[in-house]
Short mmCIF file of all heavy atoms in Angstrom, two decimals:
data_model
loop_
_atom_site.label_atom_id
_atom_site.label_comp_id
_atom_site.label_asym_id
_atom_site.label_seq_id
_atom_site.Cartn_x
_atom_site.Cartn_y
_atom_site.Cartn_z
N MET A 1 29.02 1.42 -12.80
CA MET A 1 27.97 0.79 -12.03
C MET A 1 27.69 1.54 -10.72
O MET A 1 26.58 1.55 -10.26
CB MET A 1 28.36 -0.63 -11.70
CG MET A 1 27.64 -1.76 -12.37
SD MET A 1 25.97 -1.49 -12.87
CE MET A 1 25.72 -2.94 -13.80
N SER A 2 28.72 2.14 -10.10
CA SER A 2 28.49 2.81 -8.83
C SER A 2 27.53 3.98 -8.96
O SER A 2 26.82 4.31 -8.03
CB SER A 2 29.82 3.26 -8.21
OG SER A 2 30.39 4.27 -9.03
N GLY A 3 27.47 4.60 -10.13
CA GLY A 3 26.51 5.67 -10.36
C GLY A 3 25.09 5.14 -10.27
O GLY A 3 24.19 5.83 -9.78
N ASN A 4 24.86 3.93 -10.74
CA ASN A 4 23.55 3.31 -10.68
C ASN A 4 23.14 3.07 -9.22
O ASN A 4 22.01 3.35 -8.85
CB ASN A 4 23.57 1.99 -11.46
CG ASN A 4 22.18 1.43 -11.67
OD1 ASN A 4 21.19 2.15 -11.62
ND2 ASN A 4 22.12 0.14 -11.92
N THR A 5 24.04 2.59 -8.40
CA THR A 5 23.76 2.36 -6.99
C THR A 5 23.50 3.68 -6.28
O THR A 5 22.58 3.79 -5.47
CB THR A 5 24.95 1.63 -6.31
OG1 THR A 5 25.14 0.38 -6.96
CG2 THR A 5 24.69 1.41 -4.84
N SER A 6 24.25 4.69 -6.61
CA SER A 6 24.06 6.01 -6.02
C SER A 6 22.68 6.55 -6.36
O SER A 6 22.00 7.12 -5.49
CB SER A 6 25.14 6.96 -6.54
OG SER A 6 24.93 8.26 -6.05
N TYR A 7 22.26 6.37 -7.59
CA TYR A 7 20.92 6.82 -8.01
C TYR A 7 19.84 6.08 -7.23
O TYR A 7 18.90 6.69 -6.74
CB TYR A 7 20.72 6.60 -9.51
CG TYR A 7 19.30 6.83 -9.94
CD1 TYR A 7 18.82 8.12 -10.12
CD2 TYR A 7 18.42 5.77 -10.13
CE1 TYR A 7 17.50 8.35 -10.50
CE2 TYR A 7 17.10 5.98 -10.49
CZ TYR A 7 16.64 7.28 -10.68
OH TYR A 7 15.34 7.51 -11.03
N LYS A 8 19.98 4.77 -7.10
CA LYS A 8 18.99 3.97 -6.37
C LYS A 8 18.91 4.39 -4.90
O LYS A 8 17.82 4.51 -4.34
CB LYS A 8 19.33 2.48 -6.45
CG LYS A 8 19.08 1.87 -7.81
CD LYS A 8 19.49 0.42 -7.81
CE LYS A 8 19.36 -0.20 -9.19
NZ LYS A 8 19.80 -1.59 -9.21
N ASN A 9 20.07 4.61 -4.29
CA ASN A 9 20.10 5.04 -2.90
C ASN A 9 19.42 6.40 -2.72
O ASN A 9 18.65 6.60 -1.79
CB ASN A 9 21.53 5.10 -2.37
CG ASN A 9 22.14 3.73 -2.19
OD1 ASN A 9 21.43 2.73 -2.09
ND2 ASN A 9 23.46 3.68 -2.17
N LYS A 10 19.69 7.32 -3.63
CA LYS A 10 19.08 8.65 -3.57
C LYS A 10 17.57 8.55 -3.77
O LYS A 10 16.79 9.16 -3.04
CB LYS A 10 19.69 9.56 -4.62
CG LYS A 10 19.16 10.97 -4.58
CD LYS A 10 19.80 11.86 -5.62
CE LYS A 10 19.15 13.25 -5.56
NZ LYS A 10 19.57 14.09 -6.64
N TYR A 11 17.15 7.75 -4.74
CA TYR A 11 15.72 7.55 -5.01
C TYR A 11 15.02 6.97 -3.79
O TYR A 11 13.98 7.46 -3.36
CB TYR A 11 15.54 6.63 -6.22
CG TYR A 11 14.09 6.34 -6.52
CD1 TYR A 11 13.36 7.21 -7.33
CD2 TYR A 11 13.46 5.21 -6.02
CE1 TYR A 11 12.02 6.96 -7.62
CE2 TYR A 11 12.12 4.96 -6.28
CZ TYR A 11 11.41 5.83 -7.10
OH TYR A 11 10.08 5.58 -7.37
N ASN A 12 15.59 5.91 -3.22
CA ASN A 12 15.00 5.28 -2.04
C ASN A 12 14.92 6.25 -0.86
O ASN A 12 13.93 6.26 -0.13
CB ASN A 12 15.79 4.03 -1.65
CG ASN A 12 15.55 2.88 -2.60
OD1 ASN A 12 14.54 2.83 -3.28
ND2 ASN A 12 16.50 1.96 -2.66
N LEU A 13 15.94 7.06 -0.67
CA LEU A 13 15.95 8.04 0.41
C LEU A 13 14.83 9.06 0.23
O LEU A 13 14.19 9.46 1.19
CB LEU A 13 17.31 8.74 0.46
CG LEU A 13 17.57 9.66 1.63
CD1 LEU A 13 17.49 8.90 2.95
CD2 LEU A 13 18.93 10.32 1.49
N GLU A 14 14.58 9.46 -1.02
CA GLU A 14 13.54 10.44 -1.31
C GLU A 14 12.13 9.86 -1.24
O GLU A 14 11.18 10.55 -0.88
CB GLU A 14 13.76 11.05 -2.69
CG GLU A 14 14.99 11.93 -2.79
CD GLU A 14 15.28 12.39 -4.20
OE1 GLU A 14 14.51 12.02 -5.14
OE2 GLU A 14 16.26 13.12 -4.39
N LYS A 15 11.95 8.60 -1.60
CA LYS A 15 10.62 8.02 -1.77
C LYS A 15 10.14 7.15 -0.61
O LYS A 15 8.96 6.88 -0.50
CB LYS A 15 10.58 7.17 -3.05
CG LYS A 15 10.90 7.94 -4.32
CD LYS A 15 9.85 8.97 -4.62
CE LYS A 15 10.21 9.71 -5.90
NZ LYS A 15 9.28 10.76 -6.22
N TYR A 16 11.05 6.67 0.23
CA TYR A 16 10.67 5.71 1.26
C TYR A 16 11.20 6.12 2.62
O TYR A 16 12.26 6.74 2.74
CB TYR A 16 11.23 4.32 0.93
CG TYR A 16 10.75 3.76 -0.38
CD1 TYR A 16 11.59 3.73 -1.49
CD2 TYR A 16 9.46 3.28 -0.53
CE1 TYR A 16 11.15 3.22 -2.71
CE2 TYR A 16 9.01 2.76 -1.74
CZ TYR A 16 9.86 2.74 -2.82
OH TYR A 16 9.42 2.24 -4.00
N ASP A 17 10.46 5.75 3.66
CA ASP A 17 10.94 5.81 5.03
C ASP A 17 11.35 4.39 5.41
O ASP A 17 10.79 3.42 4.90
CB ASP A 17 9.84 6.26 5.99
CG ASP A 17 9.51 7.73 5.86
OD1 ASP A 17 10.44 8.52 5.57
OD2 ASP A 17 8.34 8.10 6.05
N ARG A 18 12.31 4.28 6.30
CA ARG A 18 12.76 2.96 6.75
C ARG A 18 12.32 2.74 8.19
O ARG A 18 12.36 3.65 9.00
CB ARG A 18 14.27 2.83 6.64
CG ARG A 18 14.77 2.84 5.21
CD ARG A 18 16.23 2.46 5.11
NE ARG A 18 16.52 1.13 5.60
CZ ARG A 18 16.39 0.00 4.89
NH1 ARG A 18 15.95 0.06 3.67
NH2 ARG A 18 16.71 -1.15 5.41
N ILE A 19 11.92 1.51 8.47
CA ILE A 19 11.60 1.10 9.82
C ILE A 19 12.34 -0.21 10.08
O ILE A 19 12.18 -1.17 9.33
CB ILE A 19 10.08 0.85 10.00
CG1 ILE A 19 9.29 2.13 9.71
CG2 ILE A 19 9.79 0.31 11.39
CD1 ILE A 19 7.80 1.92 9.70
N ASN A 20 13.16 -0.23 11.10
CA ASN A 20 13.86 -1.46 11.47
C ASN A 20 13.03 -2.20 12.51
O ASN A 20 12.57 -1.60 13.48
CB ASN A 20 15.24 -1.16 12.02
CG ASN A 20 16.15 -0.55 10.97
OD1 ASN A 20 16.11 -0.95 9.82
ND2 ASN A 20 16.94 0.42 11.35
N VAL A 21 12.84 -3.48 12.31
CA VAL A 21 12.05 -4.29 13.22
C VAL A 21 12.97 -5.33 13.85
O VAL A 21 13.72 -6.02 13.16
CB VAL A 21 10.91 -5.01 12.46
CG1 VAL A 21 10.11 -5.89 13.40
CG2 VAL A 21 10.01 -3.99 11.78
N THR A 22 12.89 -5.43 15.17
CA THR A 22 13.67 -6.42 15.90
C THR A 22 12.72 -7.50 16.40
O THR A 22 11.68 -7.19 16.97
CB THR A 22 14.39 -5.77 17.09
OG1 THR A 22 15.19 -4.69 16.61
CG2 THR A 22 15.26 -6.77 17.82
N VAL A 23 13.06 -8.75 16.14
CA VAL A 23 12.22 -9.87 16.56
C VAL A 23 13.07 -10.84 17.38
O VAL A 23 14.30 -10.81 17.32
CB VAL A 23 11.59 -10.62 15.35
CG1 VAL A 23 10.64 -9.69 14.59
CG2 VAL A 23 12.64 -11.17 14.42
N ASN A 24 12.40 -11.69 18.14
CA ASN A 24 13.11 -12.69 18.93
C ASN A 24 13.85 -13.66 18.03
O ASN A 24 13.44 -13.91 16.89
CB ASN A 24 12.12 -13.46 19.81
CG ASN A 24 11.53 -12.60 20.89
OD1 ASN A 24 12.15 -11.66 21.37
ND2 ASN A 24 10.31 -12.92 21.29
N LYS A 25 14.94 -14.22 18.56
CA LYS A 25 15.70 -15.22 17.83
C LYS A 25 14.78 -16.32 17.33
O LYS A 25 13.94 -16.82 18.08
CB LYS A 25 16.74 -15.88 18.72
CG LYS A 25 18.11 -15.30 18.74
CD LYS A 25 18.82 -15.37 17.44
CE LYS A 25 20.29 -15.09 17.65
NZ LYS A 25 20.92 -14.56 16.50
N GLY A 26 14.90 -16.69 16.10
CA GLY A 26 14.09 -17.75 15.51
C GLY A 26 12.82 -17.26 14.84
O GLY A 26 12.28 -17.95 13.98
N ASP A 27 12.33 -16.08 15.23
CA ASP A 27 11.10 -15.57 14.63
C ASP A 27 11.28 -15.13 13.18
O ASP A 27 10.36 -15.21 12.38
CB ASP A 27 10.52 -14.41 15.45
CG ASP A 27 9.86 -14.88 16.74
OD1 ASP A 27 9.69 -16.11 16.90
OD2 ASP A 27 9.50 -14.02 17.56
N LYS A 28 12.47 -14.67 12.84
CA LYS A 28 12.71 -14.25 11.45
C LYS A 28 12.48 -15.43 10.50
O LYS A 28 11.86 -15.26 9.44
CB LYS A 28 14.13 -13.71 11.28
CG LYS A 28 14.42 -13.25 9.87
CD LYS A 28 15.83 -12.70 9.74
CE LYS A 28 16.12 -12.32 8.30
NZ LYS A 28 17.49 -11.84 8.13
N GLU A 29 12.92 -16.59 10.88
CA GLU A 29 12.74 -17.77 10.03
C GLU A 29 11.26 -18.11 9.89
O GLU A 29 10.79 -18.50 8.82
CB GLU A 29 13.52 -18.96 10.58
CG GLU A 29 15.04 -18.84 10.45
CD GLU A 29 15.66 -17.91 11.50
OE1 GLU A 29 15.04 -17.70 12.56
OE2 GLU A 29 16.74 -17.36 11.24
N LYS A 30 10.48 -17.96 10.98
CA LYS A 30 9.04 -18.22 10.93
C LYS A 30 8.34 -17.22 10.02
O LYS A 30 7.46 -17.59 9.23
CB LYS A 30 8.44 -18.14 12.32
CG LYS A 30 8.89 -19.23 13.26
CD LYS A 30 8.33 -18.99 14.65
CE LYS A 30 8.91 -19.94 15.67
NZ LYS A 30 8.45 -19.65 17.03
N ILE A 31 8.74 -15.95 10.14
CA ILE A 31 8.15 -14.90 9.31
C ILE A 31 8.50 -15.15 7.85
O ILE A 31 7.64 -15.04 6.96
CB ILE A 31 8.63 -13.50 9.77
CG1 ILE A 31 8.09 -13.21 11.18
CG2 ILE A 31 8.21 -12.42 8.78
CD1 ILE A 31 8.75 -12.02 11.86
N LYS A 32 9.74 -15.50 7.57
CA LYS A 32 10.16 -15.77 6.20
C LYS A 32 9.41 -16.97 5.62
O LYS A 32 8.97 -16.94 4.47
CB LYS A 32 11.67 -16.02 6.12
CG LYS A 32 12.14 -16.26 4.69
CD LYS A 32 13.63 -16.31 4.60
CE LYS A 32 14.17 -16.52 3.20
NZ LYS A 32 13.28 -16.82 2.12
N ALA A 33 9.24 -18.01 6.43
CA ALA A 33 8.51 -19.20 5.96
C ALA A 33 7.07 -18.84 5.61
O ALA A 33 6.54 -19.31 4.59
CB ALA A 33 8.55 -20.29 7.03
N ARG A 34 6.43 -18.03 6.42
CA ARG A 34 5.04 -17.63 6.15
C ARG A 34 4.98 -16.76 4.89
O ARG A 34 4.10 -16.97 4.04
CB ARG A 34 4.47 -16.87 7.35
CG ARG A 34 3.07 -16.42 7.15
CD ARG A 34 2.10 -17.59 7.05
NE ARG A 34 0.75 -17.09 6.93
CZ ARG A 34 -0.19 -17.64 6.19
NH1 ARG A 34 0.04 -18.77 5.55
NH2 ARG A 34 -1.38 -17.12 6.13
N ALA A 35 5.90 -15.81 4.76
CA ALA A 35 5.94 -14.97 3.57
C ALA A 35 6.18 -15.81 2.32
O ALA A 35 5.51 -15.63 1.29
CB ALA A 35 7.02 -13.89 3.72
N ASP A 36 7.11 -16.75 2.41
CA ASP A 36 7.40 -17.65 1.27
C ASP A 36 6.16 -18.46 0.90
O ASP A 36 5.85 -18.63 -0.28
CB ASP A 36 8.55 -18.60 1.60
CG ASP A 36 9.90 -17.91 1.63
OD1 ASP A 36 10.01 -16.76 1.15
OD2 ASP A 36 10.86 -18.53 2.15
N ALA A 37 5.43 -18.94 1.91
CA ALA A 37 4.22 -19.73 1.65
C ALA A 37 3.17 -18.89 0.93
O ALA A 37 2.38 -19.42 0.14
CB ALA A 37 3.65 -20.27 2.96
N LEU A 38 3.17 -17.59 1.19
CA LEU A 38 2.23 -16.69 0.52
C LEU A 38 2.76 -16.16 -0.81
O LEU A 38 2.06 -15.47 -1.53
CB LEU A 38 1.90 -15.51 1.45
CG LEU A 38 1.16 -15.87 2.73
CD1 LEU A 38 1.11 -14.66 3.66
CD2 LEU A 38 -0.25 -16.37 2.41
N GLY A 39 4.03 -16.47 -1.09
CA GLY A 39 4.63 -16.04 -2.35
C GLY A 39 5.03 -14.58 -2.38
O GLY A 39 5.05 -13.96 -3.44
N VAL A 40 5.35 -14.01 -1.19
CA VAL A 40 5.74 -12.61 -1.13
C VAL A 40 7.03 -12.48 -0.32
O VAL A 40 7.45 -13.41 0.37
CB VAL A 40 4.64 -11.73 -0.49
CG1 VAL A 40 3.37 -11.75 -1.33
CG2 VAL A 40 4.33 -12.16 0.94
N SER A 41 7.63 -11.30 -0.39
CA SER A 41 8.83 -11.03 0.40
C SER A 41 8.44 -10.76 1.85
O SER A 41 7.27 -10.48 2.15
CB SER A 41 9.57 -9.81 -0.16
OG SER A 41 8.78 -8.64 0.03
N ILE A 42 9.41 -10.82 2.74
CA ILE A 42 9.16 -10.47 4.13
C ILE A 42 8.64 -9.04 4.22
O ILE A 42 7.70 -8.74 4.94
CB ILE A 42 10.44 -10.64 4.99
CG1 ILE A 42 10.82 -12.12 5.12
CG2 ILE A 42 10.26 -10.01 6.37
CD1 ILE A 42 12.15 -12.36 5.81
N ASN A 43 9.25 -8.14 3.47
CA ASN A 43 8.84 -6.74 3.47
C ASN A 43 7.38 -6.60 3.03
O ASN A 43 6.60 -5.91 3.69
CB ASN A 43 9.76 -5.92 2.55
CG ASN A 43 9.50 -4.44 2.66
OD1 ASN A 43 9.68 -3.86 3.72
ND2 ASN A 43 9.06 -3.84 1.57
N ALA A 44 7.01 -7.25 1.94
CA ALA A 44 5.63 -7.17 1.45
C ALA A 44 4.66 -7.77 2.46
O ALA A 44 3.57 -7.22 2.68
CB ALA A 44 5.51 -7.89 0.11
N TYR A 45 5.04 -8.84 3.10
CA TYR A 45 4.19 -9.50 4.10
C TYR A 45 3.94 -8.56 5.28
O TYR A 45 2.80 -8.34 5.70
CB TYR A 45 4.86 -10.80 4.56
CG TYR A 45 4.15 -11.54 5.66
CD1 TYR A 45 2.83 -11.96 5.51
CD2 TYR A 45 4.79 -11.82 6.85
CE1 TYR A 45 2.18 -12.65 6.53
CE2 TYR A 45 4.15 -12.51 7.86
CZ TYR A 45 2.84 -12.92 7.70
OH TYR A 45 2.21 -13.59 8.71
N ILE A 46 4.99 -7.97 5.81
CA ILE A 46 4.86 -7.07 6.96
C ILE A 46 4.07 -5.82 6.57
O ILE A 46 3.20 -5.37 7.32
CB ILE A 46 6.24 -6.72 7.54
CG1 ILE A 46 6.86 -7.97 8.18
CG2 ILE A 46 6.15 -5.58 8.55
CD1 ILE A 46 8.31 -7.82 8.60
N ARG A 47 4.35 -5.27 5.40
CA ARG A 47 3.61 -4.08 4.95
C ARG A 47 2.12 -4.39 4.82
O ARG A 47 1.28 -3.57 5.21
CB ARG A 47 4.16 -3.59 3.61
CG ARG A 47 5.50 -2.89 3.75
CD ARG A 47 6.10 -2.49 2.43
NE ARG A 47 5.17 -1.66 1.67
CZ ARG A 47 5.36 -1.31 0.42
NH1 ARG A 47 6.43 -1.70 -0.23
NH2 ARG A 47 4.49 -0.55 -0.21
N GLU A 48 1.77 -5.55 4.32
CA GLU A 48 0.36 -5.92 4.16
C GLU A 48 -0.31 -6.07 5.53
O GLU A 48 -1.44 -5.63 5.72
CB GLU A 48 0.24 -7.22 3.37
CG GLU A 48 -1.18 -7.66 3.11
CD GLU A 48 -1.96 -6.73 2.18
OE1 GLU A 48 -1.35 -5.94 1.45
OE2 GLU A 48 -3.21 -6.81 2.22
N LEU A 49 0.37 -6.69 6.48
CA LEU A 49 -0.18 -6.83 7.83
C LEU A 49 -0.43 -5.46 8.45
O LEU A 49 -1.49 -5.22 9.06
CB LEU A 49 0.76 -7.64 8.72
CG LEU A 49 0.89 -9.13 8.40
CD1 LEU A 49 2.00 -9.74 9.25
CD2 LEU A 49 -0.42 -9.84 8.64
N ILE A 50 0.52 -4.56 8.31
CA ILE A 50 0.37 -3.22 8.88
C ILE A 50 -0.77 -2.47 8.20
O ILE A 50 -1.60 -1.84 8.87
CB ILE A 50 1.70 -2.44 8.78
CG1 ILE A 50 2.75 -3.07 9.70
CG2 ILE A 50 1.49 -0.96 9.11
CD1 ILE A 50 4.16 -2.57 9.46
N THR A 51 -0.82 -2.54 6.88
CA THR A 51 -1.88 -1.86 6.13
C THR A 51 -3.25 -2.36 6.55
O THR A 51 -4.17 -1.56 6.80
CB THR A 51 -1.68 -2.04 4.62
OG1 THR A 51 -0.42 -1.47 4.25
CG2 THR A 51 -2.78 -1.38 3.82
N LYS A 52 -3.42 -3.68 6.64
CA LYS A 52 -4.71 -4.24 7.05
C LYS A 52 -5.08 -3.81 8.46
O LYS A 52 -6.24 -3.53 8.75
CB LYS A 52 -4.69 -5.77 6.94
CG LYS A 52 -4.79 -6.25 5.52
CD LYS A 52 -4.83 -7.77 5.44
CE LYS A 52 -4.99 -8.20 3.99
NZ LYS A 52 -5.03 -9.65 3.87
N ASP A 53 -4.10 -3.77 9.36
CA ASP A 53 -4.36 -3.35 10.73
C ASP A 53 -4.81 -1.89 10.78
O ASP A 53 -5.78 -1.56 11.45
CB ASP A 53 -3.11 -3.55 11.59
CG ASP A 53 -3.32 -3.06 13.01
OD1 ASP A 53 -4.17 -3.65 13.71
OD2 ASP A 53 -2.67 -2.08 13.41
N ILE A 54 -4.12 -1.03 10.06
CA ILE A 54 -4.47 0.39 10.04
C ILE A 54 -5.86 0.58 9.44
O ILE A 54 -6.67 1.35 9.98
CB ILE A 54 -3.41 1.20 9.26
CG1 ILE A 54 -2.11 1.24 10.05
CG2 ILE A 54 -3.92 2.61 8.95
CD1 ILE A 54 -0.93 1.80 9.28
N GLU A 55 -6.16 -0.12 8.35
CA GLU A 55 -7.45 0.02 7.70
C GLU A 55 -8.59 -0.54 8.52
O GLU A 55 -9.73 -0.09 8.40
CB GLU A 55 -7.42 -0.64 6.32
CG GLU A 55 -6.55 0.12 5.34
CD GLU A 55 -6.40 -0.59 4.00
OE1 GLU A 55 -6.85 -1.75 3.87
OE2 GLU A 55 -5.82 0.02 3.08
N SER A 56 -8.32 -1.50 9.39
CA SER A 56 -9.38 -2.10 10.19
C SER A 56 -9.89 -1.14 11.26
O SER A 56 -11.02 -1.26 11.71
CB SER A 56 -8.90 -3.40 10.84
OG SER A 56 -8.06 -3.12 11.94
N GLY A 57 -9.03 -0.23 11.68
CA GLY A 57 -9.42 0.74 12.69
C GLY A 57 -9.59 0.16 14.08
O GLY A 57 -10.09 0.81 14.97
N SER A 58 -9.18 -1.10 14.26
CA SER A 58 -9.32 -1.71 15.59
C SER A 58 -8.28 -1.10 16.54
O SER A 58 -7.23 -0.64 16.12
CB SER A 58 -9.15 -3.22 15.50
OG SER A 58 -7.88 -3.54 15.01
N ARG A 59 -8.62 -1.13 17.79
CA ARG A 59 -7.76 -0.53 18.79
C ARG A 59 -6.96 -1.62 19.50
O ARG A 59 -7.52 -2.63 19.93
CB ARG A 59 -8.61 0.22 19.81
CG ARG A 59 -7.77 0.94 20.82
CD ARG A 59 -8.64 1.80 21.70
NE ARG A 59 -7.78 2.46 22.66
CZ ARG A 59 -8.21 3.00 23.77
NH1 ARG A 59 -9.48 2.97 24.06
NH2 ARG A 59 -7.38 3.56 24.60
N ILE A 60 -5.68 -1.39 19.64
CA ILE A 60 -4.81 -2.33 20.36
C ILE A 60 -4.63 -1.77 21.76
O ILE A 60 -4.30 -0.61 21.95
CB ILE A 60 -3.45 -2.48 19.66
CG1 ILE A 60 -3.62 -3.11 18.30
CG2 ILE A 60 -2.49 -3.29 20.52
CD1 ILE A 60 -2.34 -3.21 17.50
N GLN A 61 -4.85 -2.61 22.75
CA GLN A 61 -4.67 -2.20 24.13
C GLN A 61 -3.18 -2.06 24.44
O GLN A 61 -2.39 -2.94 24.11
CB GLN A 61 -5.28 -3.25 25.08
CG GLN A 61 -6.77 -3.38 24.96
CD GLN A 61 -7.50 -2.14 25.47
OE1 GLN A 61 -7.06 -1.50 26.41
NE2 GLN A 61 -8.59 -1.81 24.83
N LYS A 62 -2.83 -0.97 25.06
CA LYS A 62 -1.44 -0.76 25.44
C LYS A 62 -1.18 -1.55 26.72
O LYS A 62 -1.85 -1.36 27.73
CB LYS A 62 -1.15 0.71 25.67
CG LYS A 62 0.29 0.99 26.00
CD LYS A 62 0.55 2.46 26.16
CE LYS A 62 1.99 2.70 26.53
NZ LYS A 62 2.27 4.10 26.78
N ASP A 63 -0.23 -2.44 26.66
CA ASP A 63 0.08 -3.28 27.80
C ASP A 63 1.56 -3.65 27.70
O ASP A 63 2.00 -4.19 26.69
CB ASP A 63 -0.79 -4.54 27.78
CG ASP A 63 -0.55 -5.45 28.97
OD1 ASP A 63 0.45 -5.26 29.71
OD2 ASP A 63 -1.36 -6.36 29.16
N ARG A 64 2.28 -3.37 28.73
CA ARG A 64 3.71 -3.62 28.71
C ARG A 64 4.03 -5.08 28.46
O ARG A 64 5.05 -5.41 27.87
CB ARG A 64 4.31 -3.19 30.05
CG ARG A 64 5.78 -2.94 29.98
CD ARG A 64 6.36 -2.45 31.26
NE ARG A 64 5.37 -1.81 32.10
CZ ARG A 64 5.61 -1.40 33.33
NH1 ARG A 64 6.80 -1.58 33.85
NH2 ARG A 64 4.69 -0.82 34.06
N ASP A 65 3.17 -5.99 28.90
CA ASP A 65 3.43 -7.41 28.76
C ASP A 65 2.75 -8.03 27.53
O ASP A 65 2.76 -9.23 27.36
CB ASP A 65 2.96 -8.15 30.01
CG ASP A 65 3.72 -7.69 31.24
OD1 ASP A 65 4.93 -7.41 31.10
OD2 ASP A 65 3.10 -7.57 32.31
N MET A 66 2.14 -7.18 26.69
CA MET A 66 1.41 -7.69 25.53
C MET A 66 2.37 -8.30 24.52
O MET A 66 3.42 -7.76 24.23
CB MET A 66 0.65 -6.55 24.86
CG MET A 66 -0.18 -7.00 23.68
SD MET A 66 -1.12 -5.66 22.96
CE MET A 66 0.13 -4.80 22.04
N GLU A 67 1.97 -9.42 23.99
CA GLU A 67 2.70 -10.06 22.91
C GLU A 67 1.75 -10.21 21.73
O GLU A 67 0.58 -10.51 21.93
CB GLU A 67 3.22 -11.42 23.33
CG GLU A 67 4.30 -11.34 24.40
CD GLU A 67 4.91 -12.70 24.70
OE1 GLU A 67 4.97 -13.52 23.78
OE2 GLU A 67 5.34 -12.90 25.83
N ILE A 68 2.24 -9.99 20.55
CA ILE A 68 1.43 -10.13 19.35
C ILE A 68 1.93 -11.34 18.59
O ILE A 68 3.12 -11.46 18.30
CB ILE A 68 1.52 -8.87 18.46
CG1 ILE A 68 0.99 -7.66 19.22
CG2 ILE A 68 0.78 -9.08 17.15
CD1 ILE A 68 1.16 -6.34 18.50
N TYR A 69 1.01 -12.24 18.28
CA TYR A 69 1.37 -13.45 17.54
C TYR A 69 0.78 -13.35 16.15
O TYR A 69 -0.41 -13.13 15.98
CB TYR A 69 0.84 -14.70 18.25
CG TYR A 69 1.48 -14.90 19.60
CD1 TYR A 69 0.90 -14.41 20.76
CD2 TYR A 69 2.70 -15.54 19.70
CE1 TYR A 69 1.49 -14.58 21.99
CE2 TYR A 69 3.31 -15.71 20.94
CZ TYR A 69 2.71 -15.23 22.07
OH TYR A 69 3.31 -15.39 23.30
N LEU A 70 1.61 -13.53 15.15
CA LEU A 70 1.18 -13.43 13.77
C LEU A 70 0.90 -14.79 13.15
O LEU A 70 0.46 -14.88 12.04
CB LEU A 70 2.25 -12.72 12.93
CG LEU A 70 2.65 -11.33 13.41
CD1 LEU A 70 3.82 -10.81 12.58
CD2 LEU A 70 1.47 -10.38 13.32
N PHE A 71 1.18 -15.85 13.90
CA PHE A 71 1.10 -17.17 13.29
C PHE A 71 -0.08 -17.94 13.81
O PHE A 71 -0.50 -17.90 14.86
CB PHE A 71 2.38 -17.96 13.58
CG PHE A 71 3.60 -17.14 13.29
CD1 PHE A 71 4.31 -16.54 14.30
CD2 PHE A 71 4.00 -16.94 11.99
CE1 PHE A 71 5.41 -15.77 14.03
CE2 PHE A 71 5.11 -16.18 11.72
CZ PHE A 71 5.82 -15.59 12.73
#
């Protein structure tokens, strides 16, 4: 079985980049609840939000105090 895990790890390393996201305490549960309500994983939910944002071409103002609310 360890050969199977090794293959998956190698495949993922070759095909995907990883991004770690840090959120405030309690926000993970809110994000998971929203993803569950949509019937998708947290990863799929976040990827869809990012994709839609990139495709929209809208500009986000850079502001040190800016907060983004997804809910």
Side-chain angles (χ1 to χ4, degrees):
M1 250 332 171
S2 66
N4 192 22
T5 300
S6 176
Y7 170 79
K8 288 178 185 178
N9 289 339
K10 183 179 177 188
Y11 178 86
N12 287 337
L13 188 60
E14 291 173 0
K15 301 293 181 183
Y16 301 105
D17 287 327
R18 293 190 61 84
I19 299 173
N20 294 321
V21 178
T22 304
V23 296
N24 292 331
K25 267 297 194 206
D27 285 351
K28 181 179 177 182
E29 290 77 23
K30 293 175 188 176
I31 294 167
K32 182 172 181 352
R34 180 66 177 144
D36 288 346
L38 295 170
V40 297
S41 67
I42 292 173
N43 188 62
Y45 176 58
I46 292 171
R47 286 176 55 189
E48 182 67 18
L49 290 172
I50 292 168
T51 299
K52 285 182 177 180
D53 177 64
I54 290 170
E55 290 174 352
S56 76
S58 61
R59 184 173 180 198
I60 295 176
Q61 295 292 325
K62 183 177 178 184
D63 182 347
R64 201 177 336 174
D65 298 324
M66 182 177 78
E67 293 186 30
I68 298 174
Y69 295 94
L70 303 174
F71 312 101

